[in-house]
C-alpha cells in the first residue's frame, strides 16, 4: 500500500481516494507543482494535508479566511494531526508559542493569511525551518476580474522566488478557463501539473418552482424534507430576511437573520450558532456565505431570483459539501422578474457593464423557465458537457407538461396593445378576465374585444405573463409605473407565423410535493432513535471541546453507524470518517450507544404495524 493511502486510512479513516486526489498527492510528494480545480466538497484539503505529512517539514497553507482557520486546525487535531495557525486574533504570546513549535518541527501544517505570509517576520520564520510545501487555497482570489479579488494574492509569487525548491499547490472551486490561466501566470505555475475536475455536484437536487406565495411553499418543502436539518434561505432584501426569519421562528424552527445591516457582533453570533448547533436555519442576503465551510447544510432555498447563474451556483453549492444528498430549492414569481429587471435598469453602472449584467440575468431567467435537465444547462453554462440528463433534478424527475400557448399569448399581447401599453400586469389581467373594475369601466376597456376573453384564471394568466416577460416578448417599463410594453419579437406571434409552447401552470393543490428520493433514503437511516442518540452524544462532545459537531464526526459517519451497527472496535474502524485517533477517543462510547439502541430496534421490528 502506498504511504499516502495508508495515511488516508489510518489518520482520516477513509477507505479510498476520490477523483484525482492520489495523483495530486503523488505529484507534490515527488516535488512537482500542481494546479487543482475541484468542486466545493470535492476534497481539496487532503490534497495538500497528506503530502505535508509525508514530506519533511511544515506545510504552509495560505488561506484567505481567518475565521475558518480555527475550524480547520480543530478538525485536524481530531485526527491527531498537529496543525496551527498564525493570525491577528491571537495574542503575541500565542503567536510566539506557535512559532516556537514550528521551529522545533512539531507542526505539520501551518495556516496563514496571504498578507501575513509576505511579512518580513514570517519570511524570516520560513527561512529558519524546513518547508514541506506551499498550498494556496482559494487561488481564484488572484484574479482581478473575479468577485473575490485579494491584491496580496498576486504577490504570492514572492514565496516561490524566495524558496524555489518548495513544491506548490494552488486550489480553487470557482475558476473558468480564463481564471485558471490567470492563476497560472500570476503565481508562476507554468510548469504545474493541472488537475481539472468536473464542476458537477451530483448530490445536489435542483428544483425551481414558479408562482406566487413562495414562502408558504418553502415551508411545505422544509417540513417535508428537512424537519431536522440545517439550511440556508436566501432573500434579496434585508427586510425580507428579517420577516422570513421571524416567520420561520414562529413556526417552531430555530431561524436566524443575517445581513450587512446587522451589528457585526450579532452577525458573528448568528454565524457561530449556525455552525455549532444542529438544525439551525440561517436566513440571509448574499452577504452570507463566503467561507461557510459547514459540510452538513442539507438545503439551500432561494426566495428570490438570484442575479445570475454564477451566484445561483455558488450559493446552492453551499449545500451538501459532505457529499450526502442536499436540496437546492427556489421559488420565484412574476413580480421577481419585474423587480430584477428594474434593479438592473436602475443600476448606475456604465452601459457596457450593464449589458453584461443584463445578458447574465437573461441566462438565469432562461435557466428557470426551461423544461430540460437543469444540471445539463448549468454545466453547459460553465463550458462542460453532460451527455445524458441527470435524473436528479425536478425536470428530469417530473418532466414539465407544456401546452400550446399560441392563442392565449396572442390574446394577452393584443390586450396589452389595445389598452395602449400603459398599464401594469394586474390591470391587463383584470381586463382579460373580464373584471369590470371601476377604473376599467372609466377607461372604456370593458368595451374591448379582449375584455373577458379566453378561459384562463388569474393564476394561469400570471404564469403566461411571467413567461412572456421572461422570454422577452414583453417588458415592464419602470419609468412608467411598470406598464407592460411590447418588444418587436412579438410580431411573428401576432401575425401567426410562430407558435409558442409554454410550461403548464401547476395548480397549488395539484402540485406534487417536492420530494427527493435520494434524500429520503438518507433520512430513513437518520430517522432512527440511534441516529438521534448519536447526534446527542456528538453535541455533548462538541460542547465540551468547544468545536462544531461536524468537527467531531460527520453526519455521513453517523448514518453509516446506523446502517452497519458495528459491534466491535474493528467493525467501527471500517466506517468512513473514523481514523485511529477518533477510534481511540470515541470508539467505546459509540459502540455502547449503538448496542443500547440495537436492542430497542430489533424489539420494534418484531411488533406488527411498524414499518
Ligand atoms: P473542499 O475543500 O474541496 O470543499 P474538503 O477538503 O473540505 O472539500 O472535503 C470535503 C469533505 O470530503 C470533507 O469532509 C472531507 O473529509 C471529505 N473527504 C475528502 N476526501 C475524501 C475521501 N477520499 N473519502 C471520503 N471523504 C473524503
Ligand atoms: Zn436533470
Amino acid at each position: 500500500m502506498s504511504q499516502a493511502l495508508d495515511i488516508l486510512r489510518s489518520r482520516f479513516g477513509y477507505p479510498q481516494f476520490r477523483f484525482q486526489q492520489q495523483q495530486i498527492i503523488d505529484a507534490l510528494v515527488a516535488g512537482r507543482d500542481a494546479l487543482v480545480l475541484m468542486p466545493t466538497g470535492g476534497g481539496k484539503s487532503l490534497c495538500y494535508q497528506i503530502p505535508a505529512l509525508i514530506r519533511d517539514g511544515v506545510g504552509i497553507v495560505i488561506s484567505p479566511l481567518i475565521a475558518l482557520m480555527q475550524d480547520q486546525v480543530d478538525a485536524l487535531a481530531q485526527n491527531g494531526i498537529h496543525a496551527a495557525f498564525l493570525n491577528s486574533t491571537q495574542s503575541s504570546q500565542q503567536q510566539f508559542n506557535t512559532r516556537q513549535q514550528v521551529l522545533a518541527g512539531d507542526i505539520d501544517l501551518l495556516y496563514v493569511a496571504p498578507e501575513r505570509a509576505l511579512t518580513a517576520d514570517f519570511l524570516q520564520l520560513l527561512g529558519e525551518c524546513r518547508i514541506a510545501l506551499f498550498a494556496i487555497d482559494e487561488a481564484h482570489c488572484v484574479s482581478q476580474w473575479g468577485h473575490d479579488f485579494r491584491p496580496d494574492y498576486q504577490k504570492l509569487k514572492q514565496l516561490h522566488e524566495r524558496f524555489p525548491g518548495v513544491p506548490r499547490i494552488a486550489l480553487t472551486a470557482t475558476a473558468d478557463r480564463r481564471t485558471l490561466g490567470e492563476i497560472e501566470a500570476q503565481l508562476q505555475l507554468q510548469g504545474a501539473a493541472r488537475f481539472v475536475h468536473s464542476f458537477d455536484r451530483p448530490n445536489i437536487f435542483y428544483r425551481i418552482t414558479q408562482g406566487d406565495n413562495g414562502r408558504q411553499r418553502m415551508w411545505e418543502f422544509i417540513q417535508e424534507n428537512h424537519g431536522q436539518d440545517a439550511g440556508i434561505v436566501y432573500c434579496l432584501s434585508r427586510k425580507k430576511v428579517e420577516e422570513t426569519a421571524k416567520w420561520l421562528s414562529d413556526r417552531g424552527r430555530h431561524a436566524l437573520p443575517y445581513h450587512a445591516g446587522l451589528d457585526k457582533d450579532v452577525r458573528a453570533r448568528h454565524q457561530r450558532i449556525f455552525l455549532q448547533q444542529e438544525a439551525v436555519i440561517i436566513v440571509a442576503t448574499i452577504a452570507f456565505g463566503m467561507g461557510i465551510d459547514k459540510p452538513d447544510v442539507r438545503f439551500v432555498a432561494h426566495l428570490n431570483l438570484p442575479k445570475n447563474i454564477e451566484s445561483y451556483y455558488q450559493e446552492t453549492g453551499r449545500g451538501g459539501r459532505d457529499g450526502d444528498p442536499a436540496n437546492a430549492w427556489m421559488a420565484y414569481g412574476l413580480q421577481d422578474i419585474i423587480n430584477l429587471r428594474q434593479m438592473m435598469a436602475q443600476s448606475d453602472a456604465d452601459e457596457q457593464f450593464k449589458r453584461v449584467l443584463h445578458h447574465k440575468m437573461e441566462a438565469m431567467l432562461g435557466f428557470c423557465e426551461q423544461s430540460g435537465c437543469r444540471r445539463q444547462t448549468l454545466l453547459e453554462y460553465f463550458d462542460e458537457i453532460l451527455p445524458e440528463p441527470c435524473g436528479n433534478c425536478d425536470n428530469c424527475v417530473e418532466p414539465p407538461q407544456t401546452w400550446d400557448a399560441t392563442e392565449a399569448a396572442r390574446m394577452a399581447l393584443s390586450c396589452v396593445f389595445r389598452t395602449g401599453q400603459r398599464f401594469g400586469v394586474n390591470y391587463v389581467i383584470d381586463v382579460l378576465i373580464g373584471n369590470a373594475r371601476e377604473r376599467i369601466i372609466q377607461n372604456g376597456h370593458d368595451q374591448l374585444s379582449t375584455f373577458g376573453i379566453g378561459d384562463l384564471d388569474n393564476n394561469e394568466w400570471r404564469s403566461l405573463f411571467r413567461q412572456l416577460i421572461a422570454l422577452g416578448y414583453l417588458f415592464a417599463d419602470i419609468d412608467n409605473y411598470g406598464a407592460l410594453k411590447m418588444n418587436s419579437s412579438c410580431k411573428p406571434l401576432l401575425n401567426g407565423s410562430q407558435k409558442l409552447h409554454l410550461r403548464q401552470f401547476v395548480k397549488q393543490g395539484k402540485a406534487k410535493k417536492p420530494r427527493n428520493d435520494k434524500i429520503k433514503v438518507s433520512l430513513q437511516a437518520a430517522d432512527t432513535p440511534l441516529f438521534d442518540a448519536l447526534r446527542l452524544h456528538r453535541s455533548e462532545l462538541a460542547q465540551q471541546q468547544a468545536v462544531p459537531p461536524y468537527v467531531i464526526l460527520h453526519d455521513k459517519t453517523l448514518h453509516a453507524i446506523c446502517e452497519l451497527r458495528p459491534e466491535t472496535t474493528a467493525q467501527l474502524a471500517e466506517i468512513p470518517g473514523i481514523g485511529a485517533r477518533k477510534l481511540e477517543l470515541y470508539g467505546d462510547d459509540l459502540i455502547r450507544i449503538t448496542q443500547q439502541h440495537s436492542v430497542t430496534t430489533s424489539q420494534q421490528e418484531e411488533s406488527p404495524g411498524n414499518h
Side-chain angles (χ1 to χ4, degrees), residues 180-454:
L180 277 183
E182 246 184 302
I183 296 173
E184 205 172 62
Q186 289 285 353
L187 298 178
Q188 298 177 353
L189 278 169
Q190 284 83 358
R194 264 201 194 197
F195 300 92
V196 176
H197 193 274
S198 163
F199 257 103
D200 191 14
R201 302 285 313 278
N203 58 317
I204 297 183
F205 184 98
Y206 298 98
R207 180 180 294 278
I208 296 176
T209 72
Q210 288 91 0
D212 302 317
N213 208 0
R215 194 167 68 175
Q216 180 60 34
R217 282 184 289 128
M218 176 180 77
W219 177 242
E220 285 159 20
F221 154 76
I222 292 178
Q223 290 277 83
E224 168 94 0
N225 296 284
H226 300 291
Q228 289 192 54
D229 292 329
I232 306 175
V233 176
Y234 282 108
C235 305
L236 213 52
S237 69
R238 296 173 185 183
K239 183 160 162 269
K240 189 158 169 184
V241 163
E242 299 275 353
E243 284 170 4
T244 308
K246 179 167 183 310
W247 194 84
L248 287 169
S249 302
D250 290 345
R251 272 152 196 77
R253 286 301 302 249
H254 190 181
L256 298 168
Y258 188 106
H259 58 72
L262 288 171
D263 196 58
K264 193 162 132 272
D265 295 338
V266 176
R267 265 185 305 174
R269 190 174 72 237
H270 289 180
Q271 175 164 337
R272 203 170 48 242
I273 294 174
F274 177 65
L275 295 179
Q276 305 215 333
Q277 297 184 18
E278 309 263 12
V280 179
I281 299 177
I282 204 110
V283 186
T285 56
I286 48 169
F288 182 78
M290 166 78 167
I292 297 305
D293 249 334
K294 186 175 165 63
D296 54 357
V297 175
R298 292 271 71 86
F299 70 92
V300 175
H302 281 93
L303 276 183
N304 291 107
L305 267 172
K307 285 196 201 54
N308 51 49
I309 291 184
E310 285 94 336
S311 310
Y312 173 75
Y313 205 62
Q314 197 173 42
E315 284 151 21
T316 54
R318 295 184 178 125
R321 294 178 63 113
D322 53 11
D324 272 0
N327 272 316
W329 186 94
M330 189 207 296
Y332 76 100
L334 176 59
Q335 200 55 43
D336 276 302
I337 298 183
I338 295 178
N339 290 349
L340 200 60
R341 285 247 165 92
Q342 201 156 334
M343 263 172 51
M344 203 71 45
Q346 283 166 341
S347 119
D348 42 19
D350 71 50
E351 279 310 310
Q352 192 197 349
F353 193 60
K354 256 191 192 170
R355 263 201 300 280
V356 175
L357 292 184
H358 186 79
H359 177 75
K360 291 188 172 205
M361 185 192 71
E362 294 303 327
M364 182 70 214
L365 279 181
F367 168 70
C368 291
E369 297 285 347
Q370 60 152 175
S371 353
C373 171
R374 305 275 187 206
R375 193 178 313 272
Q376 280 184 317
T377 311
L378 279 174
L379 290 176
E380 200 179 298
Y381 188 81
F382 295 109
D383 294 330
E384 207 180 307
I385 304 293
L386 187 70
E388 297 290 322
C390 74
N392 197 32
C393 73
D394 54 354
N395 287 348
C396 277
V397 175
E398 301 137 15
Q401 304 289 316
T402 56
W403 62 299
D404 183 347
T406 315
E407 204 43 48
R410 284 167 70 174
M411 292 175 191
L413 294 175
S414 114
C415 190
V416 170
F417 182 72
R418 281 167 206 277
T419 51
Q421 307 188 60
R422 288 188 297 122
F423 297 91
V425 65
N426 293 329
Y427 184 96
V428 178
I429 289 179
D430 274 342
V431 174
L432 283 163
I433 290 177
N435 186 358
R437 276 164 44 191
E438 206 180 316
R439 211 167 138 228
I440 288 177
I441 297 173
Q442 272 169 8
N443 291 327
H445 289 155
D446 56 335
Q447 304 301 318
L448 291 177
S449 60
T450 49
F451 182 80
I453 198 180

Side-chain angles (χ1 to χ4, degrees), residues 8 12 14-18 21 38-49 72 137-138 173 293 295 321-323 554 556 576-577:
L8 180 77
F12 293 92
Y14 296 131
Q16 261 128 31
F17 282 115
R18 279 186 192 158
Q21 280 176 330
M38 218 189 253
T40 308
K44 287 186 283 301
S45 327
L46 287 184
C47 297
Y48 55 83
Q49 288 166 350
Q72 281 160 334
D137 207 2
E138 312 285 356
D293 249 334
R321 294 178 63 113
D322 53 11
H554 274 188
K556 216 182 175 116

